[in-house]
Amino acid sequence: MTTRSGTARAGQYLALVCYLVFLAFPLLWLVSTAFKSPQELGSVDASWLPHDPSLDSFTAAFGQQPLARSALNSLIVASCAAAISVAIAVPAAYVMVRYRSAVGKAATGWILVSQMFPFVLVIIPLFLVLKSLHLINSLTGLVLVYVVWNLPFALWMLQGYVRAVPASLEEAAAIDGCGRLRTLLSVVLPLLTPGLVATVMFSFVTAWNEFFFALVLLKSPEKQTMSVILTHFIGAEGAADLGPLAAAALMATLPSLLFFALLQRRLVSGIMSGAVKG
Amino acid sequence: MRRRDFLATTAAAASAPALIGGCAGSPGDSGPLEYLSLAWQKESIEVNKALVAEWNERNPSVKVRYVQGAWESVHDQLLTSFEGGEAPDIIHDEANDLTDFAHGGYLADLRPLLPEDLKSQISRANWETATIAGGIYGVPFLHDPRVLIANRKLLEESGVRMPTVGRPWSWGEFEDVAKELTRSRGNSRTYGVAWSMKEPVNQSVNLTMSTGGAVFHRERGKDVIRFDEADYGVPELIHRQVNEDRTASRSTLGMAGSDTLPGFFAGRYAIVPLNFSFRQQVQQQAPDGFEWVTLPMPAGRGAPGGGQFQGVSPQTLSVSQDTSRKKAAMAFIAFMTRPDHMARLAEGDWLVPTGREALRDPALNTDEHGWSTGLRIASDLRASPVLGVRGYPEWKDKVATPAFQEYYAGSIGLRALRDKLVDDGNRILARYQR
């Protein structure tokens, strides 16, 4: 029995390792490509590690395009979009879960439907609306779009987390004299930490990676985001400046990874914090 | 439905309120003119920015702002900004992409704006590439023709005749050369040629001109598709090389041009038909000591122009219909396409300039990196048969790309290919010409 369970455990780990390798492959290949010389990039014998590691691709990428500026723009847009989306979604999700009504149900249905709209369906009307608000070519306009675009899914995610918080805890808080707002801030929010972290991550990464809205709405080179700048390394008929493209793509990936690394501990540690009532 | 078609439909639906509102305003009424550039290689971006800076210094009252665009997304970006009344004043694009924009009234007809010296610098054949329904909607300034890039050592070892622009290989000779260059050693095989066919339609159609074909024909005022012997000569040859002679690698059929280069450098393929601009990547990535040579495409015997005609879709500079400063925009285009400037732009992008004087620029007239080959074939370049054909993008994406890919891979025969291209294609074109 012990041997069998040991074998099963080993099999699980092996499957996990295989899965991680599968997931990590593109990133590792990206890192390797970014440090290869142009000659090595043109070699038919592709190697895992660059034979003669070089920073030439990074120098070229930074020299050709305003990468630092675009990274800052992406950071501003993604952070603001994530923060505002969650700030609106938390009370909205709470109300929709705790105060069930026909309107709430309809709103939930609409959230699902809204997720089915492709970007291209809304881009031209959206362009006209933002133009009338003088928000074309503005990071504020882009944040607004991302908030609206992220909000339905953020709301949908948070509803599940709010539903998981026992109503009895809130009743106990009410007996102790807490008002609705205090209950939300002191009782519900700590229990929602993993949900908040997950939603912030989702909103941040969605805004960080988004390309089409950013492409259409931002015209000035100094305002363009990282995802738009990356396409500038690709030419006609699929020709690509592979080294600088890989270097720039790696630079575009790092902030997301860093953000995940910082927040993932909160995702776990916050799961049941504050749930035990003495 | 592809994003491009879908966006076009959406744009049509969304344009109504914009028109009714009538408040879109003209972009660039004040402030600098916007110049959307698709330059993407380092040298090319540098030249563009330097020229913009030079213009701004000379013309402080009509400043131009450089805006970077991208080839991959330019169509969607332009369509949205045209609809929103926020299009750039000066637009860099490809002639192939102008058809729908010209028919949609988004681009200015340049005929009344073109200065005489610019008009005379560019040949009639080149102006035809940007002529749509009688109007001129862009200044064609750079070409990217197809050439053969070959491994010089393998060619010399095989003893085959080295072709020149004056005496290119015939397609028959090219087949023989490919056989001569194909070698098998155990499990490994050196192929005579590697056709990169990830996007097979443009090159398949453009090369038909060398055998007197066109695929797209004008009949009683309407565009129709035919696929007769002159049209399928080159596709049939490629199919034969891949599937019967096995002198062309099957594995490169799904590749883009860049993907074939590692195999080319490793000596796996002796010849790669690529666009002229790919020389930049070859020069940059080729291992030390690798010798390569740029050769003209083969010619079709008995076809017009000695069989050396090739269809091209040049890069163009256009003016937005919405801009209130069309003359200033045209003046900037004239500045950018001055012979010396056009030559600098061509050099930065590794392309062939369209201007007569630019073609004589000493910086380009060198045998190094195959420049002279490209410049000498310039007079054989003709407007691609697909230019100005409404519905071509839909035909290309929905019908022709999968059909050509299946044909080259040997999944379907010539008759099935013709049926798909012609029958399905003409139904699509008819929809656009009602």
Side-chain angles (χ1 to χ4, degrees):
Chain A
M1 188 74 178
T2 312
T3 314
R4 272 182 66 188
S5 90
T7 310
R9 178 67 57 89
Q12 283 174 353
Y13 279 124
L14 185 66
L16 187 63
V17 167
C18 290
Y19 186 57
L20 286 176
V21 169
F22 174 73
L23 287 183
F25 178 80
L27 187 62
L28 294 176
W29 196 249
L30 187 68
V31 174
S32 169
T33 306
F35 287 97
K36 284 178 179 169
S37 64
Q39 282 75 21
E40 210 176 336
L41 289 171
S43 168
V44 75
D45 300 316
S47 57
W48 267 106
L49 293 174
H51 292 308
D52 186 14
S54 149
L55 290 175
D56 289 355
S57 295
F58 289 90
T59 315
F62 277 96
Q64 276 170 252
Q65 299 294 340
L67 279 188
R69 183 61 181 260
S70 65
L72 181 66
N73 291 339
S74 287
L75 194 66
I76 292 170
V77 169
S79 306
C80 291
I84 298 171
S85 300
V86 171
I88 297 173
V90 168
Y94 182 77
V95 168
M96 287 175 79
V97 170
R98 291 290 184 251
Y99 300 90
R100 290 179 176 222
S101 66
V103 176
K105 281 182 186 169
T108 308
W110 177 245
I111 289 168
L112 280 177
V113 173
S114 70
Q115 289 299 301
M116 296 171 192
F117 292 137
F119 283 18
V120 290
L121 186 70
V122 296
I123 187 66
I124 291 172
L126 190 68
F127 193 93
L128 294 171
V129 170
L130 287 176
K131 192 187 167 199
S132 65
L133 296 172
H134 302 287
L135 286 175
I136 297 290
N137 199 27
S138 131
L139 294 183
T140 310
L142 195 62
V143 169
L144 198 65
V145 171
Y146 289 162
V147 168
V148 172
W149 200 256
N150 282 342
L151 202 54
F153 197 75
L155 205 51
W156 185 257
M157 277 177 81
L158 279 172
Q159 274 191 65
Y161 285 98
V162 173
R163 205 170 284 125
V165 176
S168 55
L169 285 179
E170 292 176 47
E171 287 162 9
I175 291 167
D176 287 346
C178 278
R180 277 290 176 197
L181 187 62
R182 179 77 191 273
T183 304
L184 182 63
L185 294 176
S186 307
V187 178
V188 179
L189 264 187
L191 296 173
L192 282 182
T193 306
L196 290 176
V197 171
T199 311
V200 166
M201 280 179 166
F202 161 79
S203 303
F204 181 88
V205 172
T206 305
W208 181 272
N209 291 333
E210 202 284 325
F211 165 70
F212 192 51
F213 286 139
L215 169 79
V216 172
L217 299 176
L218 301 174
K219 294 198 292 181
S220 307
E222 63 273 16
K223 288 189 178 160
Q224 287 178 331
T225 56
M226 203 88 176
S227 58
V228 177
I229 292 291
L230 285 180
T231 62
H232 296 167
F233 294 99
I234 300 171
E237 299 244 350
D241 206 353
L242 198 55
L245 175 63
L250 184 62
M251 300 305 294
T253 311
L254 288 179
S256 287
L257 288 178
L258 203 64
F259 191 68
F260 266 77
L262 289 174
L263 285 188
Q264 60 90 23
R265 193 181 299 169
R266 300 289 300 167
L267 192 66
V268 180
S269 68
I271 283 176
M272 287 311 288
S273 60
V276 179
K277 185 160 164 52
Chain B
M1 191 184 287
R2 278 175 60 90
R3 195 171 76 180
R4 172 182 287 209
D5 307 326
F6 193 65
L7 190 58
T9 313
T10 314
S15 60
L19 291 172
I20 293 164
C23 57
S26 301
D29 284 341
S30 58
L33 290 167
E34 284 185 348
Y35 163 44
L36 179 79
S37 166
L38 299 179
W40 69 283
Q41 304 199 63
K42 185 172 172 284
E43 297 83 0
S44 171
I45 293 171
E46 281 170 6
V47 174
N48 269 279
K49 285 186 174 173
L51 290 177
V52 169
E54 192 182 325
W55 166 272
N56 286 339
E57 203 176 313
R58 290 180 182 201
N59 302 277
S61 58
V62 194
K63 291 215 170 193
V64 169
R65 186 168 61 156
Y66 180 90
V67 178
Q68 183 74 58
W71 283 102
E72 287 280 295
S73 48
V74 67
H75 185 89
D76 290 348
Q77 183 185 14
L78 282 175
L79 187 55
T80 314
S81 41
F82 280 135
E83 284 300 328
E86 290 278 343
D89 305 271
I90 302 139
I91 296 158
H92 177 194
D93 203 349
E94 188 193 337
N96 199 2
D97 202 31
L98 302 183
T99 311
D100 287 344
F101 293 145
H103 280 284
Y106 299 121
L107 297 176
D109 183 355
L110 302 182
R111 283 175 300 173
L113 302 167
L114 281 171
E116 203 50 50
D117 54 344
L118 172 58
K119 218 188 283 182
S120 61
Q121 266 300 310
I122 296 173
S123 71
R124 191 187 173 89
N126 278 320
W127 282 119
E128 277 173 14
T129 59
T131 303
I132 300 160
I136 295 176
Y137 291 93
V139 174
F141 73 117
L142 296 173
H143 282 307
D144 199 5
R146 212 79 178 167
V147 289
L148 299 176
I149 297 179
N151 182 323
R152 183 190 285 274
K153 197 174 148 203
L154 291 179
L155 241 64
E156 285 175 351
E157 278 175 5
S158 70
V160 299
R161 177 178 75 82
M162 200 68 95
T164 61
V165 176
R167 206 170 146 237
W169 286 326
S170 68
W171 282 108
E173 258 181 298
F174 173 71
E175 274 194 279
D176 293 340
V177 167
K179 281 176 192 160
E180 195 64 43
L181 291 165
T182 301
R183 299 264 185 280
S184 283
R185 285 186 211 91
N187 288 334
S188 73
R189 190 175 175 93
T190 301
Y191 291 93
V193 60
W195 291 99
S196 47
M197 286 292 174
K198 190 177 180 186
E199 292 183 23
V201 184
N202 279 341
Q203 62 172 317
S204 300
V205 175
N206 288 334
L207 291 178
T208 63
M209 293 192 94
S210 70
T211 52
V215 182
F216 289 88
H217 301 269
R218 200 95 183 132
E219 287 178 3
R220 279 175 252 131
K222 291 196 170 182
D223 292 312
V224 291
I225 297 169
R226 289 208 308 262
F227 203 58
D228 304 327
E229 197 173 343
D231 300 305
Y232 63 67
V234 176
E236 196 178 30
L237 180 147
I238 297 170
H239 177 272
R240 202 161 48 235
Q241 287 190 317
V242 174
N243 298 289
E244 291 170 27
D245 303 344
R246 297 200 57 229
T247 55
S249 168
R250 177 184 287 271
S251 61
T252 61
L253 289 179
M255 291 183 184
S258 309
D259 305 331
T260 60
L261 292 182
F264 176 61
F265 297 142
R268 201 170 282 175
Y269 324 121
I271 300 172
V272 280
L274 291 173
N275 280 3
F276 195 56
S277 58
F278 272 92
R279 293 169 305 125
Q280 196 257 1
Q281 289 194 32
V282 175
Q283 188 266 338
Q284 195 181 44
Q285 296 176 7
D288 292 339
F290 183 85
E291 287 186 52
W292 55 279
V293 58
T294 306
L295 307 172
M297 288 302 289
R301 291 284 177 256
Q308 294 187 57
F309 286 164
Q310 184 185 149
V312 280
S313 172
Q315 294 188 21
T316 53
L317 292 172
S318 304
V319 175
S320 167
Q321 177 62 31
D322 264 358
T323 184
S324 60
R325 292 182 287 172
K326 291 188 180 68
K327 278 187 181 169
M330 188 67 241
F332 175 74
I333 290 177
F335 171 79
M336 292 296 277
T337 51
R338 248 173 49 178
D340 53 334
H341 294 168
M342 193 191 277
R344 279 173 70 188
L345 289 167
E347 194 181 3
D349 255 334
W350 293 64
L351 296 171
V352 179
T354 57
R356 289 192 180 98
E357 216 174 304
L359 280 164
R360 290 197 288 269
D361 193 290
L364 303 180
N365 281 279
T366 164
D367 286 338
E368 198 183 10
H369 301 142
W371 275 106
S372 53
T373 304
L375 265 59
R376 281 183 209 136
I377 63 173
S379 58
D380 294 322
L381 305 178
R382 294 290 179 274
S384 168
V386 309
L387 294 179
V389 177
R390 299 198 74 188
Y392 167 71
E394 187 179 340
W395 175 79
K396 183 180 129 190
D397 294 338
K398 290 182 182 167
V399 175
T401 299
F404 273 118
Q405 282 171 339
E406 282 180 90
Y407 176 64
Y408 290 138
S411 311
I412 60 171
L414 188 62
R415 179 175 291 188
L417 173 69
R418 184 199 285 130
D419 289 347
K420 285 177 191 236
L421 296 180
V422 177
D423 297 348
D424 298 349
N426 280 327
R427 269 197 288 274
I428 289 175
L429 294 198
R431 225 169 356 94
Y432 285 83
Q433 299 179 98
R434 276 176 195 146

